Structures are given as C-alpha cells and as structure tokens.
Amino acid sequence: MNLKRLLIVSTFLTDFSNATLIFLFTLIIGQQKTAYWLNLLWASYYGGSFVSHLVMVSYVDRFPSRFLMLGSEVSRWLIVTTLLVNGNFNRPLYLVIIVCLLGIVEPIFHPAEVRLLTEVFSQTEMVQINAMLELSDQSTTIIGPFLATLFTTWFNARFTLTVMSVILFSSVIIVLMMPASTTSEKSISVGSLRTTLSTFIHSSALRHSASLMFLLNTLFIGTVRPVLLKFTQQLGPHANFNYTLLTVSQSIGLILMATHLARKPGHQSNLLKRNLWAVLFIAGLLVLISLTTKLYLLILWFLLIGLLSAIFDVENNLLFQNASPHSEIGRMYVFKGLINVGSVTLGTVLASVVLNWLSVHQLYFVCAAFLLLISLSLLLRHTFK
C-alpha cells in the first residue's frame, strides 16, 4: 500500500473513531442524565482540544511527524481500551474525563499529518489530498453516529467500544507502516515561537486564510448548527426528523463536492478571491434560509451550502498550506486549530446571548447580513486593489 493510501486510510480511521466515540458517549450520558451533563461533556472535549493546541505550539515541529501521529493514536487506543476493561459506563464524571483526554490527544494527529503530507506531495497533488481529507471528515460525521446508534441498539456500549478499540489498534499499525519522514528532521531548523507567530501575523495569505475561516466559523458554523434544532421546531411537527434531513443534506453536499474535487482538482489561482466568493454565496443562501419555511427549499439550500462549504474548506486549506513555511507548518496548523476551535465556541456563545432578544430566523438573517457585507467589501477591495 503506497503512502497516499496509508495516509487516507489512517485519516479516515482517526476521524471515524473520533466521531463514533463522541456520539457514543453522548448517547450514554443523554439516556441517563440531564442536559447539564451533555453540555459538560462537549465543553470538556473542546476544552481539552484547546489546551492541547496551546501546548502543541511549542513542540509540534520539533518531533518527527510519524512519532506524533503514532503517539496520538496509541494514546487514544489506550484510553478506549482502559475504559473497556474498566467497564464503568454509568458514571458521567468518568466519561467526561475520558472525553477530555480524547480531546487532548486527538488534535495532535492532524498538524503532524499535514506536515508529512506537504513533504510528500506537490501543491497540485495537495488539492486532491485536501479534498480526500474533507471527504473523510464529512463522511465520518454521518457514518460514525449512525453506526454508534446501530451497534448500541443491537448490542450494547461495550460491543461498540470493542469495535472502536480494534479500529484504533488498526490505525496504530497503519501509522507504523508509514515512513518516518521524507526529510531529515535534523535538517529542519525550527525558529522560536515568537518568530513563528511573527511569520503568521505578517503573512497576508496566512492572515486572509485564517480570517475567512474565523468569519465563517463565527457567523455561520457556530451560530447555525447549534440552534438548528430550534429552527426546525418552528417549522411544525417532526422537528427531529427535519433536523436530521437538513443536517444530512448539508453533509451530502460536502461529500459530493469533496468527491468531485478529489477526482478533478480545481484551479489553484486566485484562491483568496475564490474563498471570498464561496463565503458570499453561503451568506446569500443563509439569507434564503432565514426567509424560508418550506422544507423542500430548506433541503436544497443546505445541500448547496454543503457544496460551497467543501470548496471553501479545500481551497482555504490549500491557501494556508502554500503560505506556510514548511519547517513550521505544524505550528501554523496549531494556530489555525486554535482559531477554529475558538471561533466556533465564540459563535455558539454569541448565538446563545443574541437569542434572548431575537428569534432563530432573525439570528440567521443578522449573521447572513454581516457575512454578506464583510465578504462583499473584502471582495471589492481585493478586486480593485
């Protein structure tokens, strides 16, 4: 099996096991405890992820990529296997601690993986690779929760954890099959953290890539997805079913476009302008969503948003990768990860506050208006610069 296949399979197993485990623990706590414990569960995961990103800034580029990837997968396998052997699934605090540990070790994998990818593949090939990674991420958000529900319903939580332990062990074996590095680690000179941060701040391409991600995460992902169930409750009966339809339709759009980009990579020129156009169209669709009450139209709008989101994610990643110095690309992706986690959290908090005065439809419209104004002004500024 060549390196490309090894990396894709390893990424899929990592994303799949993560999505399945988090959903499984949500099911376990949701059946036993109040919403307080559910919120605490997710807060512990994102809190652990945020702390992990802060710590990784100092060392992610100082160790071999495979070493970090292996450490992440071995740690996750040990955590899951320990829980499986212990068998204590009924104590919510115990599960919260487990999820926090998973949140700490899981983010180590991806920055190291990106560094290894950029060593092996050219910029042209990275379009296809990014599309494959997006495809893996989105498909596992559907497959993981579905199988977690299926296994837990047909069997039990212990059986599901056993399957996850086997999958994680398989991922460990696959990482072991990868080359340590295509570049001598001793030949890579990693500057100080202050130097890396200065590079990040003074690179217009890195700033633009991170800023657009921050904008979309805060005003779209962080505000739309967490309150989408409340949005569907205003459409009439069958709110849970409608919520699932809209969520799946967006994921299908993401998967379809990621599959297309993986087979036929797009142009690499004008990535910033193409990112701005994607944000602009997503904002326009969000306006339509805020004004629509017909389910079939909402399914169409969310499907189109999924298509555009895949284009944005793939090309935004490529813009970021092309602008990052290879010797410090791991750190750059840690910064990107911090911005990603922080912006989604900020959007969620803002949505919770604003909903004290506005309806969900009004919240969507306000966010869409801000997205439209900001993306249009940036697009015009970039065009006539």
Side-chain angles (χ1 to χ4, degrees), residues 148-156:
T149 304
L150 199 65
F151 288 160
T152 306
T153 303
W154 285 1
F155 304 100
N156 51 40

Side-chain angles (χ1 to χ4, degrees), residues 127-179:
V127 178
Q128 183 184 46
I129 296 299
N130 285 331
M132 289 180 177
L133 296 179
E134 184 70 18
L135 178 60
S136 169
D137 181 51
Q138 295 305 320
S139 60
T140 55
T141 60
I142 298 176
I143 299 171
F146 174 76
L147 288 182
T149 304
L150 199 65
F151 288 160
T152 306
T153 303
W154 285 1
F155 304 100
N156 51 40
R158 176 178 289 279
F159 177 82
T160 310
L161 278 175
T162 302
V163 173
M164 290 301 102
S165 179
V166 172
I167 288 174
L168 284 169
F169 185 76
S170 301
S171 183
V172 170
I173 299 301
I174 290 174
V175 174
L176 282 171
M177 294 168 63
M178 297 178 189

Side-chain angles (χ1 to χ4, degrees), residues 154-367:
W154 285 1
F155 304 100
N156 51 40
R158 176 178 289 279
F159 177 82
T160 310
L161 278 175
T162 302
V163 173
M164 290 301 102
S165 179
V166 172
I167 288 174
L168 284 169
F169 185 76
S170 301
S171 183
V172 170
I173 299 301
I174 290 174
V175 174
L176 282 171
M177 294 168 63
M178 297 178 189
S181 177
T182 59
T183 306
S184 172
E185 296 294 330
K186 293 181 180 179
S187 66
I188 298 177
S189 176
V190 182
S192 67
L193 183 58
R194 182 177 298 179
T195 302
T196 304
L197 185 59
S198 177
T199 301
F200 185 86
I201 293 173
H202 291 94
S203 169
S204 60
L206 288 172
R207 288 201 319 273
H208 288 147
S209 172
S211 298
L212 287 176
M213 183 189 68
F214 178 86
L215 179 69
L216 197 62
N217 281 358
T218 304
L219 294 178
F220 176 66
I221 297 174
T223 55
V224 172
R225 293 299 291 271
V227 295
L228 185 57
L229 181 59
K230 287 186 175 292
F231 178 83
T232 58
Q233 288 171 349
Q234 299 176 6
L235 301 177
H238 313 298
N240 290 346
F241 177 75
N242 294 338
Y243 169 74
T244 302
L245 274 179
L246 296 183
T247 303
V248 170
S249 65
Q250 183 177 347
S251 296
I252 289 173
L254 278 154
I255 290 171
L256 288 174
M257 182 54 70
T259 303
H260 171 73
L261 292 173
R263 292 177 177 175
K264 188 179 180 181
H267 299 290
Q268 294 190 57
S269 59
N270 298 318
L271 289 173
L272 176 58
K273 190 178 292 186
R274 291 156 68 90
N275 253 203
L276 286 168
W277 276 112
V279 174
L280 187 66
F281 282 121
I282 289 173
L285 288 168
L286 186 54
V287 170
L288 294 176
I289 289 170
S290 69
L291 301 174
T292 306
T293 56
K294 297 185 182 299
L295 184 61
Y296 69 91
L297 286 176
L298 288 169
I299 291 173
L300 176 61
W301 302 151
F302 272 93
L303 178 69
L304 293 176
I305 281 181
L307 295 172
L308 290 165
S309 296
I311 296 173
F312 176 86
D313 291 341
V314 170
E315 296 187 344
N316 186 267
N317 270 323
L318 186 61
L319 177 64
F320 196 88
Q321 290 161 4
N322 291 349
S324 299
H326 174 69
S327 62
E328 298 185 301
I329 193 169
R331 283 182 175 179
M332 295 301 176
Y333 257 80
V334 171
F335 290 148
K336 188 177 175 72
L338 281 170
I339 295 170
N340 182 40
V341 174
S343 57
V344 173
T345 305
L346 176 62
T348 304
V349 172
L350 287 176
S352 301
V353 173
V354 173
L355 283 174
N356 291 319
W357 297 282
L358 301 178
S359 68
V360 178
H361 282 80
Q362 291 170 332
L363 170 67
Y364 285 5
F365 184 84
V366 169
C367 289

Side-chain angles (χ1 to χ4, degrees), residues 41 44 79 92-104:
L41 184 81
S44 68
I79 291 169
L93 182 59
Y94 192 58
L95 292 181
V96 167
I97 294 172
I98 291 294
V99 168
C100 182
L101 293 174
L102 290 174
I104 290 172

